[in-house]
Amino acid sequence: MARPTQAIINLQHIKDNYQLAKGNSTSAYAVIKANAYGHGLTSVAKALSGADGFAVACLEEALQLREQGITQAILVLGGGIDLSEWEAALEHDIEMVLHHPHQLATLKKDPRFSRLKLWLKVDTGMNRLGFRIAEAENIFKQCRDTGLNIKALMSHFACADDVDETKTDDQFNALKPIYEQQLLHWPSLIISSNNSAAVLSWPKIIDHISRPGIMLYGSSPYISHSPIDQQSRSLLKPVMTLKSKIVSTHWVNSGESVGYGATQVVTRKTRVGIIAIGYGDGYPRSAPTGTPVWCNGKRLKILGRVSMDMLCVDITSDQQSDLTNIEVGTEVELWGENLCANEIADLCQTISYELFCQLTPRVKRVYINP
Ligand SMILES: *Cc1c(COP(=O)(O)O)cnc(C)c1O
């Protein structure tokens, strides 16, 4: 029998979330970097056969998609690192982000690079990748003089998940004049800036190709329980359901402890269930005692520290809940359809993005509703 620890991936829900993300923007490149946020790069790409294109972090991810026969547009968000990467992009028809002078210097070396579709990235306040606003005009001019083909002006918002802030408006307002000015030179130039949070909460931003990531996986990009967070949780359909089973049950006496470090001492006679999942599977060790686990329509609570291959839950029956039907072999859900990954992430003081990306290869991905 196989280890019962599995991530069930509902591909129909990815397709539905993509349609929602596309909404009324002209086009949307599905962001499937980092193994499609842990969901499986090529399986997700194949499910999204109707997507306008894909965005990945690096060339290796793009080449993997081409090798698997993906023919849609692919954009590498980090652009090329060296000459060989730009050549590979040319050979495999991969769109590339241009964000740094060292890249421009490479592109100037060979007239064949004029065939590449480039996305010129401007930094609007993230201060991570991109040319500074004041440099943009000059960089565009150098590209024109070199005969390069700039398909899009792009930027990435630093605070689109903060709907009470005007920063995103300010950042877009800094980008827009560059776009309007460059349209005179590049009549088919498009603009691209929206990640999931911007798609969901900044509908007024002009965006020809949006770049939704986390929302495709059915998870809200917002941290806390703001109204927009609740709203997006109800709009999006969870894609990954992380499951395992109870592999042991036993009783401990009041005053005894459970788990490493004996951090959790029980104050009543307690029935403990052991679940076959731990940080070796990517379930966060930072999940504190009390973190919920879904089982037979009820919420169980984690007891003590999460270990590498297992974690413990309290399955003591009391007046509030009868848990006597929980036994070895009973299935549990760590997050997914019944337990929002955002809630678990909050308790672990992280974001659902990290929970998904952290799942290790030991967790079998099982695809349903292709
Ligand atoms: C990861 C990424 C996205 C997608 O962000 P989400 O918050 O997951 O929607 C979009 N654009 C760029 C440049 C990215 O790096």
Side-chain angles (χ1 to χ4, degrees):
M1 203 192 87
R3 192 157 183 266
T5 315
Q6 297 184 334
I8 313 295
I9 313 286
N10 188 331
L11 295 172
Q12 184 57 46
H13 284 184
I14 295 200
K15 292 182 221 180
D16 295 345
N17 292 331
Y18 175 80
Q19 285 312 323
L20 184 88
K22 191 163 163 177
N24 34 22
S25 74
T26 329
S27 194
Y29 279 16
V31 181
I32 55 172
K33 60 192 178 187
N35 196 29
Y37 294 44
H39 292 64
L41 180 71
T42 50
S43 304
V44 168
K46 285 180 179 166
L48 289 174
S49 57
D52 303 310
F54 297 109
V56 291
C58 56
L59 190 77
E60 280 97 327
E61 292 173 341
L63 294 181
Q64 223 175 309
L65 289 171
R66 284 286 182 257
E67 260 162 43
Q68 292 294 317
I70 301 297
T71 54
Q72 287 124 298
I74 302 174
L75 170 67
V76 172
L77 294 166
I81 290 173
D82 56 21
L83 183 65
S84 69
E85 288 212 343
W86 293 103
E87 285 171 341
L90 200 55
E91 185 183 343
H92 297 279
D93 189 22
I94 290 163
E95 302 181 10
M96 299 288 271
V97 170
L98 166 60
H99 62 80
H100 193 273
H102 86 83
Q103 298 176 316
L104 189 52
T106 308
L107 292 170
K108 281 179 177 174
K109 283 186 186 145
D110 189 332
R112 289 180 312 152
F113 289 137
S114 65
R115 298 208 311 269
L116 279 171
K117 295 185 188 104
L118 299 172
W119 293 49
L120 198 148
K121 184 164 190 176
V122 169
D123 186 349
T124 47
M126 177 79 130
N127 292 328
R128 195 177 59 177
L129 291 188
F131 297 102
R132 297 192 74 84
I133 301 255
E135 291 173 317
E137 187 173 357
N138 173 268
I139 299 294
F140 267 106
K141 180 162 187 317
Q142 288 187 49
C143 291
R144 260 193 339 272
D145 293 347
T146 316
L148 293 172
N149 169 22
I150 307 295
K151 168 174 171 162
L153 166 65
M154 77 175 281
S155 192
H156 190 52
F157 295 134
C159 314
D161 55 340
D162 191 345
V163 291
D164 300 325
E165 273 285 348
T166 59
K167 282 195 202 90
T168 301
D169 279 329
D170 298 345
Q171 292 178 357
F172 183 69
N173 289 336
L175 192 64
K176 206 168 142 212
I178 302 175
Y179 178 65
E180 283 162 356
Q181 178 197 42
Q182 293 304 323
L183 261 185
L184 305 173
H185 302 290
W186 314 77
S188 55
L189 187 70
I190 59 166
I191 191 162
S192 169
S193 52
N194 286 354
N195 57 2
S196 298
V199 166
L200 288 164
S201 47
W202 303 88
K204 284 186 304 220
I205 286 174
I206 307 161
D207 200 45
H208 301 117
I209 303 185
S210 60
R211 306 187 308 268
I214 194 71
M215 70 182 294
L216 302 177
Y217 310 101
S219 195
S220 157
Y222 308 99
I223 296 165
S224 60
H225 298 270
S226 56
I228 182 92
D229 178 45
Q230 294 301 339
Q231 193 191 330
S232 64
R233 285 189 196 193
S234 62
L235 278 175
L236 299 167
K237 298 182 180 174
V239 171
M240 178 194 292
T241 298
L242 183 61
K243 286 185 173 177
S244 187
K245 284 184 177 169
I246 304 270
V247 292
S248 172
T249 62
H250 61 90
W251 286 92
V252 298
N253 291 319
S254 179
E256 287 189 299
S257 64
V258 178
Y260 280 117
T263 53
Q264 199 57 36
V265 176
V266 299
T267 54
R268 61 174 179 179
K269 191 165 188 274
T270 299
R271 189 171 172 240
V272 179
I274 317 301
I275 298 172
I277 194 164
Y279 62 82
D281 302 289
Y283 190 89
R285 185 175 177 277
S286 54
T289 283
T291 301
V293 172
W294 182 266
C295 180
N296 287 345
K298 297 203 167 78
R299 282 171 169 241
L300 311 177
K301 288 180 176 164
I302 290 184
L303 267 182
R305 284 188 189 152
V306 171
S307 49
M308 188 185 290
D309 314 304
M310 284 170 274
L311 57 79
C312 302
V313 284
D314 188 339
I315 50 169
T316 317
S317 296
D318 53 26
Q319 275 102 334
Q320 280 100 53
S321 67
D322 175 9
L323 303 177
T324 47
N325 62 354
I326 297 180
E327 52 199 46
V328 171
T330 301
E331 193 170 85
V332 301
E333 174 183 317
L334 289 309
W335 62 66
E337 287 280 353
N338 300 295
L339 204 53
C340 186
N342 293 84
E343 180 181 347
I344 307 299
D346 275 353
L347 290 167
C348 301
Q349 289 172 32
T350 183
I351 52 179
S352 58
Y353 298 67
E354 191 183 16
L355 295 188
F356 296 150
C357 287
Q358 249 170 207
L359 271 202
T360 66
R362 187 162 82 178
V363 179
K364 188 164 183 238
R365 273 65 165 177
V366 177
Y367 296 93
I368 60 166
N369 301 334

